[in-house]
Amino acid sequence: MNSINKTFASEQVEISGQDALTGYMSFKLGNFTFSRDEYFAKITWTAKEQEHSHLMSIDAFLRAIMRDVAWGFFYGWVNFDHVIGTQNHYGSVDMYAGTFNGVLNAAGVDYVENFETPKIMATFKAILHDWVNEGFDPFAAPEETGSAFGRKNGYNDEAIDRYRIATKRMPGLENDSPLREDLPVNRQFLDVAQDEPLVHCEPGFEGQLSAFNLFKYMSRSDVTWNPSVTSVCKASLFCPTTEEYILPIFHGNDRVEWFMQFSDEITWDIGDKNDGSPFARIIMKPGDICAMPANIRHQGYSTKRSMLLVWENATPDLPEKYASGELPPYPVSF
Amino acid sequence: MNTTYTTKFGSLDNFEKGTIQLIQGKASHYVFSNVFEVAKNATPYDKTVVGINQKYVIESIRAEGSSDWFTCSHDEFVISMDGEVRVDFLKLNQAVDSTLEGTQAAGSQPEGKPMGYVVLKQGHQAILPAGTAYRFNSQKPSTLLLQTIKGPLSIEKWDEICLK
């Protein structure tokens, strides 16, 4: 137990036991319990006075919870799969099981509970810390990392302590987030040009002009599916990311967001945000740009590591406006 | 076994638009276009909106030859999507009206001090700092992506550019 990281609110983490055979801790979060074995994460809750449970392959579970932690619960709904997930209320967070699954919700066997953000964050971090073994990086694509399976075998805190990069205006500016000169080029981006733009400042204007090679910057991203800010125009945030394998969550946003494909190809599965029924599959190629409306959930598939621009509007009052119908879920009618 | 990977980028002369496989609803809800196709069919330096989120926009611009000068009261950002584009900057003698959002026309020769220039190739990004004037120059046609707020020069023509 002394191996639990002392992070913010770590005293609120409830450890309910340690499995003698597998070596893993189990955790309690309100009326949810979380446990893992050699292959699966198991989440249990009570509905209609009966215990209900859900299993996820442990590698998929750890990739999902890794994103939720790194993104600080992100915008709107982060569905780990078709049953469990979280909804961000920016100060508190709902954890749900089956609530946004049409069948489970209609049967009344779903369950949702609200938690103060520090408590659920500390619990999720403790789960990651305990359940991620040495050699498994839940931020990496499967081909890049070891196995999540088996009994407790060491830790990989270095891999799970990475977060979204916060940028004030643009990376590389004075007092802003750094460029990625010290990170190696990913094996799937070795053909991406590494030249930097020419910047010439007249005397007296040194440091006022700035440019950098965004594709080079992305080619050196050491994580997959992790939107990180690279330019800030008031509440308009460019959050490019490099994608490989499957987006580990199904994201249902509480606002409209946009995708632009910089390189290669991604297929997006689009479903109804509330019940998960399928709406469309969208295939995006270089230069394609499209909206993700506010009433859908999406999950992307990328065979080759690809460069994607995620574009967010961080204005705080947007969720109420979409929820109340003041704003239509689609950004443009034509 | 082949262990090398080829990263596929697009350009004005070489792009392939993706597709929407619709199950229910309307394809137009996804406002799907391709920035190279938009630039290919645009007049040089027209600012075609390809993404809009409330007042914020992404514009696709065909850079070809020299543009007029533009200015803005807030930061904007430009990414060269294919060719080589030079951006010249002026520190304007007269301040930009801070109540105006989006790109403003600054004419063919505004008064100000040359600040310098940047040269952007494919994938390069530059800040267009608030309160400066800037001008693009490109020997060959290329595609720019601009992050800004909808302004007097923004052109919306969704019906022409989007999948339906």
Side-chain angles (χ1 to χ4, degrees):
Chain A
M1 225 150 290
N2 57 3
S3 55
I4 291 289
N5 266 354
K6 288 284 172 256
T7 54
F8 182 60
S10 59
E11 75 285 352
Q12 295 185 46
V13 176
E14 296 174 55
I15 295 166
S16 49
Q18 182 173 23
D19 189 284
L21 194 63
T22 64
Y24 293 110
M25 312 271 192
S26 50
F27 298 85
K28 199 171 162 341
L29 179 66
N31 290 316
F32 289 102
T33 67
F34 294 80
S35 58
R36 78 156 282 185
D37 59 24
E38 288 89 336
Y39 280 124
F40 305 112
K42 182 181 183 184
I43 297 95
T44 67
W45 66 95
T46 303
K48 289 187 163 176
E49 294 169 6
Q50 262 199 337
E51 182 176 281
H52 287 267
S53 65
H54 181 63
L55 298 183
M56 276 182 80
S57 184
I58 190 63
D59 61 333
F61 177 84
L62 291 173
R63 288 190 177 102
I65 199 169
M66 178 76 257
R67 299 313 183 289
D68 216 10
V69 165
W71 300 342
F73 301 103
F74 211 40
Y75 298 104
W77 291 258
V78 174
N79 299 284
F80 289 18
D81 67 356
H82 60 296
V83 175
I84 67 159
T86 61
Q87 183 185 356
N88 197 354
H89 297 291
Y90 313 97
S92 74
V93 176
D94 284 347
M95 167 96 204
Y96 53 81
T99 308
F100 299 95
N101 175 302
V103 174
L104 296 186
N105 180 257
V109 297
D110 69 303
Y111 178 68
V112 57
E113 187 170 340
N114 183 263
F115 302 98
E116 293 298 312
T117 301
K119 181 183 171 75
I120 184 170
M121 177 59 83
T123 304
F124 278 14
K125 281 183 180 173
I127 290 172
L128 269 170
H129 171 78
D130 190 64
W131 292 5
V132 171
N133 290 324
E134 187 181 336
F136 178 65
D137 180 353
F139 245 139
E143 206 187 56
E144 295 182 297
T145 186
S147 168
F149 302 118
R151 294 179 182 173
K152 182 68 190 152
N153 171 32
Y155 298 89
N156 193 358
D157 283 346
E158 206 178 305
I160 64 179
D161 280 340
R162 294 181 292 218
Y163 298 97
R164 293 186 82 193
I165 291 161
T167 295
K168 287 182 275 215
R169 286 173 89 197
M170 186 171 95
L173 289 174
E174 202 181 339
N175 300 319
D176 216 324
S177 64
L179 297 175
R180 292 179 173 153
E181 301 294 342
D182 50 342
L183 289 174
V185 179
N186 185 273
R187 76 205 191 289
Q188 294 204 7
F189 286 137
L190 289 173
D191 62 334
V192 173
Q194 300 289 308
D195 61 315
E196 288 291 346
L198 172 65
V199 178
H200 171 81
C201 294
E202 294 296 339
F205 295 106
E206 293 88 352
Q208 293 193 33
L209 303 179
S210 186
F212 73 110
N213 185 340
L214 177 67
F215 290 176
K216 169 188 173 184
Y217 179 87
M218 296 180 74
S219 75
R220 292 166 184 254
S221 165
D222 62 342
V223 291
T224 60
W225 308 100
N226 189 39
S228 293
V229 180
T230 53
S231 49
V232 180
C233 173
K234 300 193 181 182
S236 158
L237 307 179
F238 272 19
C239 316
T241 148
T242 65
E243 320 297 50
E244 186 178 338
Y245 189 50
I246 305 172
L247 171 59
I249 59 124
F250 239 111
H251 183 214
N253 208 335
D254 55 18
R255 62 194 75 207
V256 171
E257 68 185 316
W258 288 73
F259 292 154
M260 207 209 79
Q261 195 72 32
F262 276 133
S263 85
D264 307 295
E265 183 173 322
I266 294 179
T267 298
W268 293 99
D269 259 345
I270 315 284
D272 183 283
K273 187 167 77 180
N274 291 312
D275 66 20
S277 61
F279 277 2
R281 280 165 65 80
I282 296 185
I283 295 137
M284 295 186 73
K285 299 185 177 188
D288 287 342
I289 179 166
C290 81
M292 293 289 124
N295 62 344
I296 62 101
R297 64 176 80 174
H298 58 263
Q299 182 173 45
Y301 294 72
S302 184
T303 299
K304 182 189 171 297
R305 202 179 191 90
S306 66
M307 298 184 182
L308 174 72
L309 173 64
V310 176
W311 180 41
E312 297 283 356
N313 180 342
T315 306
D317 65 354
L318 289 178
E320 305 93 272
K321 289 185 175 172
Y322 286 111
S324 69
E326 184 186 335
L327 290 175
Y330 312 109
V332 185
S333 289
F334 62 92
Chain B
M1 191 182 70
N2 190 350
T3 55
T4 61
Y5 291 89
T6 304
T7 303
K8 200 172 167 191
F9 293 108
S11 68
L12 268 179
D13 304 323
N14 186 12
F15 66 89
E16 189 188 348
K17 203 168 176 174
T19 49
I20 299 175
Q21 298 172 351
L22 204 63
I23 298 159
Q24 52 176 318
K26 285 186 185 169
S28 63
H29 288 159
Y30 302 97
V31 201
F32 188 120
S33 67
N34 181 288
V35 301
F36 299 114
E37 183 181 61
V38 170
K40 188 172 182 160
N41 297 323
T43 305
Y45 299 109
D46 268 3
K47 292 156 63 68
T48 309
V49 182
V50 291
I52 188 161
N53 200 331
Q54 302 307 309
K55 65 180 182 179
Y56 299 103
V57 293
I58 296 179
E59 296 171 341
S60 167
I61 297 170
R62 175 191 181 92
E64 185 176 4
S66 224
S67 74
D68 275 352
W69 290 87
F70 301 107
T71 186
C72 194
S73 68
H74 49 80
D75 286 344
E76 300 173 289
F77 299 87
V78 65
I79 301 168
S80 168
M81 293 296 294
D82 43 24
E84 182 175 312
V85 176
R86 173 176 159 138
V87 193
D88 285 280
F89 294 87
L90 280 181
K91 191 81 187 175
L92 289 175
N93 292 346
Q94 202 166 2
V96 191
D97 181 346
S98 63
T99 63
L100 296 177
E101 291 185 321
T103 312
Q104 313 292 321
S108 55
Q109 198 50 64
E111 287 186 11
K113 250 190 192 163
M115 298 174 73
Y117 60 90
V118 301
V119 179
L120 307 177
K121 294 181 184 171
Q122 185 179 56
H124 294 179
Q125 172 179 324
I127 186 169
L128 308 169
T132 65
Y134 58 88
R135 178 177 68 179
F136 301 114
N137 189 279
S138 182
Q139 306 277 315
K140 291 184 198 160
S142 68
T143 309
L144 300 177
L145 206 64
L146 200 81
Q147 177 188 16
T148 184
I149 296 174
K150 189 175 161 181
L153 305 176
S154 304
I155 298 167
E156 290 187 78
K157 48 179 184 183
W158 304 104
D159 199 43
E160 281 175 44
I161 65 173
C162 291
L163 292 179
K164 277 176 278 189

